[in-house]
Amino acid sequence: MTDPATRIVDTPEWRALKAHFEAIRDLHLRMLFAEQPNRGETMNLEVCDLYFDYSKNRLTPETIDLLVALARRAGVEQLRDAMFAGEKINVTEQRAVLHVALRSETNDEILVDGVNVVPEVHVVLNKMSVFCNRVRSGAWTGYTGKRIRNVVNVGIGGSDLGPRMATTALADFSDRSMTFRFVSNVDGTDFFEATRDLDPEETLFIIASKTFTTLETMTNARTARDWALAKLGDEAAVAKHFVAVSTNAAEVAKFGIDTANMFGFWDWVGGRYSYDSAIGLSLMVAIGPDAFRDMLAGFHAMDEHFKTAPIEANLPMILGLIGIWYNNFFGAETLAVLPYSQYLAHLPAYFQQLEMESNGKSVDREGNRVEWQTGAIVWGQPGTNGQHAYYQLIHQGTKLIPCDFIGFAQPNEVVGDHQDLLTANLLAQPEALAFGKTREEVEAEGVPAHQVAARVFEGNHPTNTIMATKLTPNVLGQLIALYEHKVFTQGAVWNINSFDQWGVELGKKLAQNIVPELSAVDESLPAHDSSTNTLIRRYRRLRSS
Ligand code: F6P
């Protein structure tokens, strides 16, 4: 493990990679495949149900060896072991990082401050299962005795993106007689649109907030209570239409939710790592406890792989290291996540929080400013939609954009020949990105001279392709755990704390200061900079015009 005083960029392993980069930076994927025709058969990993092809990357087997050496030098394995052992690796918050405990098996033992947390995890899971079965069967009714048909999750960030992403991803496994909605934005139209066609008598709100103090969630929760009580009348109805998911029982009680209807989790679960905790309650109502547990088993299988596989065969580590190769050596700024599955429509947004909130850091674990690039900008949309929008820039723009393509061999619903068409596109894009089309090839097609340059594809754009048989709860669990551990690997190499998020605090605090200033009746000038002051004055004028 690197001595904290030794910066990763000063290690021989980093320098070796730098020299190697200079030697191979201009190699084209066309050349790499010509020199090593079996790349596609050798540069892949198969873990659980995920097949990972990394042959279309601008690297050689030597690159992988050097990246593996870097990870070893950075102490990725030791930090991983410390995480699994319940050590407080979230150094700024002095907390353990144990989302892996959420999918532990009943006989596992994971100690935090000498206490095995696994039994508590299963107590909550069992409580969730009982509750979800009651809602799904109709045994849990609303205040007027009607069956619950609508579930509205109120949360934001990790208390929204995970359940939202997974409920969409697993829609085909869900109870189709029920409606699931997600309200996150403090923009009142989010709440309005989510509830405008719902009957309060048949609606259950899940207020999901780790802290139970988040402005957006608490505002939406109060609006939800007013909305429900406007029809149901009696305060006693709250107990039948509101449950909470939180670590903060005192605030839950203060809000008026009976803590018997609260599902807990722990400070060692970060928000963006929490949808497999009670934060996934809405998902569990949707797909049922058995499918939820199957998803947890998928997470667990990937955890076990991450925990035990050597770096060179460790899928999350290799995925993370390839990201480092582009981020820190090629200078790529972004990563496109391109799922060829409409069910994974929210996956890019989910990964955005996972990666950018975790690794968007500029000080190291000892508090020194880092002098190397950290987390990439993550973005994307499901294919094939993006192909008709922004892929142009990936193919022919001036920027290097590594892409992760994700697809499935079998559709959840067979509709004509759509799956083959979808998959043909999933395979064609990485091929086109890697190999492009040369001037000679374009000319040979008889393209008019004035178009030739514009129709050349330089290629050499790197991609990973992840393929599984089918999008099931188990496979979704594997996929999410893969990216969680990928993020972990990168944070470990960069020596940053991937588990705090102080960067979200300042804006929150300033917003609190501005709230009363927006509605001030006097002409007093707010004490901000001239730009913010002018905007506040304009808003004041416009809001009452
Ligand atoms: O503001 C960022 C953040 O703290 C995220 O890390 C978190 O997922 C989200 O807000 C929601 O927090 P909570 O679950 O406490 O409402």
Side-chain angles (χ1 to χ4, degrees), residues 461-499:
H461 298 289
T463 61
N464 293 312
T465 301
I466 297 172
M467 196 184 274
T469 308
K470 195 170 177 176
L471 180 57
T472 61
N474 194 292
V475 165
L476 183 70
Q478 295 172 31
L479 188 63
I480 301 305
L482 165 63
Y483 277 80
E484 286 178 349
H485 300 322
K486 169 220 163 167
V487 167
F488 180 97
T489 300
Q490 295 189 331
V493 171
W494 293 324
N495 190 28
I496 55 176
N497 181 3
S498 303
F499 304 104

Side-chain angles (χ1 to χ4, degrees), residues 323-346:
I324 286 175
W325 178 234
Y326 294 117
N327 190 66
N328 295 90
F329 296 91
F330 279 90
E333 294 278 332
T334 81
L335 168 71
V337 176
L338 308 167
Y340 275 61
S341 162
Q342 196 58 31
Y343 281 132
L344 292 180
H346 298 300

Side-chain angles (χ1 to χ4, degrees), residues 348-365:
Y350 176 78
F351 282 167
Q352 229 164 33
Q353 186 197 16
L354 178 64
E355 298 221 12
M356 295 171 76
E357 200 167 73
S358 296
N359 284 343
K361 308 290 163 62
S362 51
V363 293
D364 69 15
R365 294 167 62 79

